[in-house]
Amino acid sequence: MRVAVVGVGYSGFNANTPDLNWKEITLEAAARAYDDAGINPRKDVDSIVTCAEDIWEGFAIFDEFVPDQLGGVLKPTCTVCADFLFGIATAYMQIKSELADIAVVEAHSKASDILTFGETIKFAMDPIWLREIGSAHPYYFAALEMSQYINECCITEEQIAEVVVKNKNNALKNSSAPYGSKVTVEDVLNSPMVFDPMRKIEIAPRADGAIVFVLANEDVAKDLTDTPIWVKGVGWWSETSNYDTMSFNAVYAYKAAKMAYKLAGITNPAKEVDIAEVDDRFAFKEFQHLEALQLSKRFETGTLMREGYFAKDGELPVNLSGGSLGIGNLLEATGGQKALEVVLQLRGLAGRRQVEAETGVAQAWRYIPTASGAVAVFGV
Amino acid sequence: MSVGKKDISCPPEAPGTPLKDSDIAEKKVTYVEDHPDIRYAWTAGQAISRFLNELKKGKLIATKCNKCRRILFPPRMFCELCYKPIDDWVYVKDTGTVQTFSISYIDPDAKPLEKPVIVAVIAVDGASKNMAFMHVLGEVEPEKVYIGMKVKAVWKPEEEREGSVTDIKYWKPIEG
Ligand SMILES: [Zn+2]
């Protein structure tokens, strides 16, 4: 019994959402997803999975806040304390195990509600071993990883700039991407360096938004839609909690992808995957993740990037949506935005950014200071 | 406590050696202290913004769902049972009935409170069942409070209100 995406909905994405609270943006996304799937959540939904991290929300035991805005009052709901793609994996398992015929996955970001973003990230750092060191904004954590990675892989400033240019320009074709701009490599190289070797423009600014997916088993999916998008594989993986024992090579993404590819029956990802949406919340992460997902080989990614291999008209378009650099850091909803773009592309509903694709990969990392992440493979 | 002894208290206790404040102050226990500075400003959104602004005027506002005919309080933009947008705004009264209450003697830091706080869930007149306001009672002796008691909001003076649930100081019994 296969599992399909039968409905998607989203709200945003915006740099700020002063007029709506997180419940209201979630409701907006959910109502659209249910309409897209052609279902009544009060009758048809068997299970609801929300992906949320209490510290981003600002209140504890987020599970309790899940039901109302998703139509889930008096229904089985649970919260996965991780990215949206972990929620896809959870819903996939619930449907595969026949606990649910229809399961809903939700994640949102109300990042604009957080006043002390740096301090909030620091809260994820070991309080004894890491948190007390220095007074810099914890973005340095990504810069440390970048420094080692670009050194090992001989990646140049220009090559990193190419990622920013590609994604921010892609974002101009996405009316839901608030950070699109017609930026050039020169503009990037002339922009301020804030965590040397990392420039400010290489860091995805925060954004608000919500994403809701409706998943169903094969029989239900075929009743509901002529264009089901199959969840072909899911995977997730964690390395370790300390920066001094992490690989700094995105092994978490490599392993998660292996798990997902195995389920999807993909043996040569670089050939079999048509499009990818990867976590680019720091520009260098796109390089790292492309290699971890086996979509590109080490030492070759920079050249391919320069040649336009990952551009809209390239062999393997990556972050057609504009990526997180164009859309913003959606916290735990990041993987949701990535999966959304893959599904829209596979359905042929991506508008001005539409390309030909039958198989797409979405990948998200759990952000600094982690070495964890998840991958989902979708196909027509 | 020896086996077979009949006067076992329940639950049986095994007294240990409690930590004293001084043990911590003198660092006899190895620990690291941190006081994270994590702050938020939650967007109130469409429904609660209106509700908070009405509080400044000394009014309680709710929303209405025409399908299930409930008066939703505090207001929300959608009915969570019918899963549809609400149909109207309606005022409810600043009077109600004590649905349940607790006379609380201890603060969140487990220190005794100077005066007990009477926390109550107040079924607001005009709102539907299970649409109540959790608040505190005042101008009443703890032993006089009962479930079913009629109460009325005591508002802060208008110039002191700031669009917060504390614009109501407390709820007091309605005489008679
Ligand atoms: Zn209703």
Side-chain angles (χ1 to χ4, degrees):
Chain A
M1 181 70 82
R2 293 187 290 173
V3 176
V5 179
V6 295
V8 296
Y10 67 102
S11 166
F13 306 102
N14 300 298
N16 203 332
T17 323
D19 54 332
L20 300 172
N21 66 18
W22 65 268
K23 280 187 188 178
E24 291 162 351
I25 61 171
T26 302
L27 174 79
E28 203 171 284
R32 286 174 179 162
Y34 297 141
D35 179 64
D36 187 34
I39 60 164
N40 173 353
R42 302 299 294 139
K43 294 201 179 92
D44 305 327
V45 170
D46 301 312
S47 169
I48 293 178
V49 181
T50 276
C51 306
E53 172 74 69
D54 291 355
I55 197 84
W56 295 138
E57 305 296 334
F59 38 92
I61 320 179
F62 189 77
D63 319 42
E64 289 303 301
F65 296 86
V66 170
D68 294 23
Q69 58 281 353
L70 290 165
V73 176
L74 295 171
K75 279 182 185 287
T77 69
C78 72
T79 297
V80 175
C81 183
D83 180 88
F84 182 90
L85 294 179
F86 288 80
I88 291 288
T90 304
Y92 175 91
M93 291 187 283
Q94 290 182 354
I95 292 171
K96 279 275 189 188
S97 59
E98 297 179 9
L99 272 172
D101 292 333
I102 297 183
V104 169
V105 183
E106 184 270 348
H108 59 269
S109 162
K110 200 65 165 69
S112 63
D113 282 355
I114 303 168
L115 296 180
T116 52
F117 189 58
E119 293 293 330
T120 311
I121 295 172
K122 277 184 82 173
F123 200 64
M125 297 165 84
D126 184 299
I128 296 171
W129 182 231
L130 298 179
R131 215 184 284 173
E132 301 296 313
I133 308 290
S135 54
H137 188 291
Y139 279 155
Y140 71 74
F141 197 96
L144 288 173
E145 181 168 351
M146 174 183 175
S147 190
Q148 183 174 326
Y149 176 74
I150 60 173
N151 236 295
E152 283 174 5
C153 298
C154 309
I155 293 165
T156 66
E157 288 184 279
E158 287 80 6
Q159 288 168 337
I160 297 286
E162 295 278 0
V163 176
V164 179
V165 170
K166 171 175 70 68
N167 294 359
K168 281 190 176 281
N169 278 276
N170 280 350
L172 289 173
K173 290 192 169 56
N174 183 353
S175 56
S176 302
Y179 299 108
S181 78
K182 216 170 166 52
V183 72
T184 64
V185 169
E186 200 173 36
D187 295 334
V188 175
L189 295 179
N190 287 330
S191 72
M193 190 76 92
V194 283
F195 299 91
D196 202 328
M198 186 184 287
R199 293 186 160 80
K200 183 161 183 269
I201 200 167
E202 297 168 24
I203 304 170
R206 283 174 282 159
D208 293 350
I211 297 116
V212 174
F213 272 30
V214 180
L215 269 56
N217 72 31
E218 189 160 359
D219 291 343
V220 174
K222 284 179 172 163
D223 278 345
L224 287 172
T225 176
D226 296 331
T227 54
I229 300 300
W230 304 105
V231 183
K232 298 208 152 178
V234 291
W236 62 96
W237 211 277
S238 292
E239 291 185 29
T240 160
S241 62
N242 278 339
Y243 76 95
D244 39 8
T245 42
M246 284 174 188
S247 69
F248 278 181
N249 265 314
V251 171
Y252 58 86
Y254 173 76
K255 290 290 202 177
K258 288 251 303 194
M259 187 170 164
Y261 289 148
K262 190 179 172 198
L263 273 174
I266 289 177
T267 50
N268 186 347
K271 283 227 160 62
E272 294 171 62
V273 171
D274 300 319
I275 53 166
E277 288 277 313
V278 305
D279 202 321
D280 59 329
R281 280 181 280 180
F282 299 93
F284 82 98
K285 277 273 166 191
E286 180 163 317
F287 274 84
Q288 226 187 26
H289 290 148
L290 284 174
E291 291 166 13
L293 265 55
Q294 301 176 62
L295 300 177
S296 160
K297 288 204 183 79
R298 219 172 187 194
F299 305 111
E300 290 176 11
T301 319
T303 317
L304 291 175
M305 191 69 69
R306 163 119 277 186
E307 289 169 352
Y309 185 88
F310 304 113
K312 180 171 179 290
D313 52 2
E315 281 292 306
L316 174 50
V318 171
N319 287 334
L320 282 163
S321 64
S324 302
L325 290 165
I327 284 168
N329 177 2
L330 291 166
L331 308 178
E332 304 300 2
T334 295
Q337 177 274 313
K338 314 251 173 244
L340 172 73
E341 180 67 14
V342 171
V343 169
L344 292 178
Q345 289 283 352
L346 297 182
R347 279 178 162 192
L349 296 175
R352 291 173 64 211
R353 7 180 247 289
Q354 186 65 50
V355 297
E356 285 277 319
E358 290 185 350
T359 302
V361 174
Q363 177 263 335
W365 159 56
R366 289 215 67 217
Y367 205 55
I368 44 174
T370 82
S372 294
V375 170
V377 180
F378 299 95
V380 293
Chain B
M1 204 166 281
S2 62
V3 177
K5 204 171 167 189
K6 300 290 185 226
D7 59 340
I8 295 172
S9 61
C10 187
E13 272 182 48
T17 309
L19 277 175
K20 294 195 246 3
D21 283 354
S22 60
D23 294 337
I24 296 184
E26 289 159 22
K27 282 248 176 192
K28 284 186 182 163
V29 181
T30 307
Y31 68 93
V32 171
E33 208 169 315
D34 186 28
H35 302 269
D37 175 26
I38 298 179
R39 284 175 279 128
Y40 307 87
W42 294 279
T43 316
Q46 298 284 308
I48 298 296
S49 294
R50 170 93 190 257
F51 171 73
L52 296 175
N53 286 314
E54 294 282 350
L55 288 177
K56 285 192 212 168
K57 298 184 223 160
K59 288 181 162 176
L60 297 178
I61 200 158
T63 52
K64 190 179 167 193
C65 172
N66 283 348
K67 192 171 175 203
C68 63
R69 299 179 168 270
R70 291 187 308 155
I71 305 294
L72 311 165
F73 179 84
R76 59 213 70 177
M77 295 313 286
F78 58 97
C79 173
E80 77 282 5
L81 296 185
C82 304
Y83 206 64
K84 64 178 272 301
I86 51 98
D87 295 290
D88 211 351
W89 294 89
V90 284
Y91 288 105
V92 293
K93 293 190 176 149
D94 67 348
T95 56
T97 309
V98 173
Q99 185 184 314
T100 179
F101 69 97
S102 162
I103 303 161
S104 306
Y105 298 93
I106 310 287
D107 80 1
D109 200 25
K111 293 197 175 74
L113 288 160
E114 227 168 86
K115 250 179 66 184
V117 174
I118 313 168
V119 187
V121 172
I122 297 147
V124 175
D125 290 336
S128 291
K129 193 173 181 291
N130 292 332
M131 295 279 162
F133 205 157
M134 196 202 76
H135 217 279
V136 293
L137 304 184
E139 293 185 44
V140 60
E141 293 306 317
E143 58 273 18
K144 297 263 170 68
V145 181
Y146 59 94
I147 288 174
M149 187 170 75
K150 299 294 284 176
V151 290
K152 181 173 172 50
V154 176
W155 295 83
K156 281 182 180 166
E158 195 164 352
E159 62 278 10
E160 286 174 30
R161 292 181 207 149
E162 46 191 13
S164 154
V165 287
T166 55
D167 286 354
I168 292 175
K169 288 198 283 188
Y170 52 80
W171 298 62
K172 67 169 188 183
I174 299 174
E175 278 92 1

